[in-house]
Amino acid sequence: MKPSERPLTAIAAPVAHRLAWIDWMRGLACILMFQTHCYDAWLGGDARNSSFLKGSQILARCPRRSFSS
């Protein structure tokens, strides 16, 4: 049987015991890090001293801790 004739189910089997909450936490961590990097790059002047940016930076520190532990 040629590789192109094989059914797709024979190529990749689904992962049995994957913890969905870990995927959700990784996704949230990526969004928080991306958001903070964008704010850091786009904001300038008085906006860099705002409580909004400082709060964003505090939230962005949480994923770093989760990846390093």
Side-chain angles (χ1 to χ4, degrees), residues 7-24:
L8 291 177
T9 55
I11 295 173
V15 177
H17 300 286
R18 189 167 179 100
L19 300 174
W21 67 272
I22 292 177
D23 292 335
W24 280 101

Side-chain angles (χ1 to χ4, degrees), residues 14-63:
V15 177
H17 300 286
R18 189 167 179 100
L19 300 174
W21 67 272
I22 292 177
D23 292 335
W24 280 101
M25 294 305 290
R26 285 180 182 157
L28 178 63
C30 290
I31 289 171
L32 288 173
M33 288 186 287
F34 179 74
Q35 165 196 309
T36 303
H37 286 296
C38 289
Y39 288 154
D40 187 44
W42 292 337
L43 295 177
D46 292 336
R48 290 188 88 38
N49 297 325
S50 67
S51 60
F52 177 75
L53 180 63
K54 293 184 191 301
S56 175
Q57 289 173 337
I58 289 170
L59 285 175
R61 292 181 186 141
C62 296

